[in-house]
Amino acid sequence: MSAPATQHATPRPTQRPHLAAVLEDRWCAVAGAFLRRRGWVPRLLTYTGLGTPRDVRVLARVLLVPPSRASGPLSPVDHAARRPLRSYLTMPAPGEPVRVVVGGADVVVETDRAGYVDAEVPLPDDEPLAPGRHDATLTAVRTGVAAAAPVVVVADTASFGVVSDIDDTAMITAVPRPLVAAWNTFFSRAGARRPVPGMAQLYRRIAADRPDAPFVYLSNGAWNTAGTLSRFLDRHGFPPGPLLLTDWGPTQTGWFRSGPQHKGDSLDRLMTTFPDVRWLLVGDAGQLDEDVYVRASARWPGRVVAIAVRQVARARVRPSRGRPEAGAPLVHGADGAQLADRLAGRWGDAT
């Protein structure tokens, strides 16, 4: 068997990094070296990826853990029953080689500066994957510890999909009220969180009408909360689908990552990856979702079936000066039932 190809999980930065990123990298290097000397080792934490029969996106993270937790992979759901704040107290393993085997592909990727694997893995031309769920096998090269990373393969015949925000769209978080939102984010367990009324029912109705439609949950939430969010969505009957979250740490360009840019870039990537899919974009009025979705609709004419925005109490009305006109129908509602009425089954006509 030939040796696996090697690639980096993300492109190498071409600009001078921001001071915040430099300080974080130095801290991780010093603290990581200290912990490794005390016996801490890399372990894999995998997330659900997605892709086409010919190309899949694999998502994971490598963290350093103490010797007592050194055997077996980590699971995002394992941590969901604990206070979410504990999921932020982690030590990433940057520059860690990880072998990815999925279908007939076999590559080695390298974690980025925050320990993440976000790799596009092309499959052999003569070995495409069938639509549905598959497991990629990820192996930490230096320790040999392996883990399965789920991958959802979207059928070539799929012509409709749903992109949904989570905070205040699927789950009540109260983002417009910062103190309440902070408590919900860092201290509330998954079992204590409440769903937005009618949203799960709306999504299940869409899934029943369009069984091949992918559901993608796009949020500005941190990857550290992936387990809590996955457990919440499953508990309340939302259709399964990959989470596209973000890293809250410093970036190459600033102290904090831009939420609107994360969502806009993710939408562009989905549009490019699935050129034949038209999307229903669902969000809320508390996080600039409407602005992000309208701009995406303008950039991708004909690719957005409709934009549905949940109205949130205490959400500040932001001016739309300089924003392009929506290229798709735009509806508002207080909950899933109102949005369903105002969408009027548009997903059924999306071809």
Side-chain angles (χ1 to χ4, degrees):
M1 178 183 295
S2 60
T6 301
Q7 66 183 67
H8 292 294
T10 55
R12 291 297 190 185
T14 58
Q15 64 183 50
R16 184 175 181 180
H18 190 273
L19 174 62
V22 173
L23 294 176
E24 183 183 49
D25 290 348
R26 289 181 179 175
W27 159 251
C28 288
V30 172
F34 171 77
L35 293 174
R36 287 177 188 268
R37 287 195 297 269
R38 295 183 63 95
W40 286 45
V41 295
R43 281 183 65 191
L44 287 157
L45 179 62
T46 62
Y47 311 110
T48 300
L50 75 165
T52 72
R54 294 161 300 281
D55 188 281
V56 295
R57 182 180 180 185
V58 177
L59 301 169
R61 196 180 191 192
V62 180
L63 301 173
L64 293 179
V65 299
S68 60
R69 300 171 60 197
S71 60
L74 295 168
S75 167
V77 179
D78 291 343
H79 305 285
R82 302 184 297 177
R83 295 290 184 187
L85 180 62
R86 295 183 62 183
S87 65
Y88 288 85
L89 305 178
T90 57
M91 177 55 63
E96 195 71 27
V98 176
R99 185 178 183 182
V100 180
V101 178
V102 55
D106 187 343
V107 300
V108 173
V109 301
E110 186 177 288
T111 59
D112 68 9
R113 51 180 297 275
Y116 290 100
V117 169
D118 185 349
E120 292 279 357
V121 181
L123 299 163
D125 293 339
D126 59 345
E127 296 185 59
L129 290 176
R133 173 175 162 146
H134 299 263
D135 282 336
T137 300
L138 276 62
T139 305
V141 172
R142 291 172 180 161
T143 63
V145 174
V151 176
V152 176
V153 174
V154 178
D156 288 335
T157 55
S159 60
F160 173 79
V162 177
V163 173
S164 173
D165 179 45
I166 298 177
D167 292 330
D168 287 320
T169 301
M171 175 173 62
I172 296 175
T173 308
V175 168
R177 302 167 65 185
L179 293 180
V180 176
W183 176 266
N184 287 334
T185 298
F186 295 112
F187 299 102
S188 293
R189 293 185 174 93
R193 311 295 283 273
R194 292 183 296 126
V196 173
M199 293 305 294
Q201 292 87 336
L202 169 60
Y203 290 1
R204 289 199 299 269
R205 179 179 167 188
I206 295 173
D209 291 344
R210 304 300 295 262
D212 63 344
F215 280 76
V216 178
Y217 297 94
L218 172 60
S219 171
N220 289 329
W223 278 111
N224 307 67
T225 64
T228 298
L229 297 179
S230 295
R231 185 170 180 176
F232 171 87
L233 294 170
D234 180 66
R235 178 192 297 269
H236 293 285
F238 286 84
L243 304 178
L244 296 181
L245 307 179
T246 187
D247 176 22
W248 277 5
T251 72
Q252 299 292 333
T253 58
W255 288 97
F256 301 104
R257 199 168 302 273
S258 166
Q261 181 177 347
H262 162 64
K263 288 190 174 181
D265 290 348
S266 297
L267 289 172
D268 289 345
R269 190 167 181 175
L270 287 171
M271 298 288 183
T272 302
T273 302
F274 306 105
D276 296 323
V277 174
R278 300 178 66 210
W279 298 92
L280 169 64
L281 308 182
V282 189
D284 67 88
Q287 296 188 77
L288 293 177
D289 286 342
E290 181 175 328
D291 187 76
V292 170
Y293 290 167
V294 166
R295 291 183 182 276
S297 177
R299 289 195 306 274
W300 298 91
R303 298 293 306 283
V304 178
V305 173
I307 298 170
V309 178
R310 179 189 172 240
Q311 296 165 327
V312 181
R314 300 197 184 192
R316 182 184 303 173
V317 178
R318 297 174 172 88
S320 58
R321 190 184 321 171
R323 188 181 76 181
E325 290 295 323
L330 174 62
V331 302
H332 297 81
D335 54 28
Q338 284 192 3
L339 290 176
D341 288 342
R342 293 166 188 178
L343 284 169
R346 292 182 184 273
W347 58 86
D349 299 327
T351 56

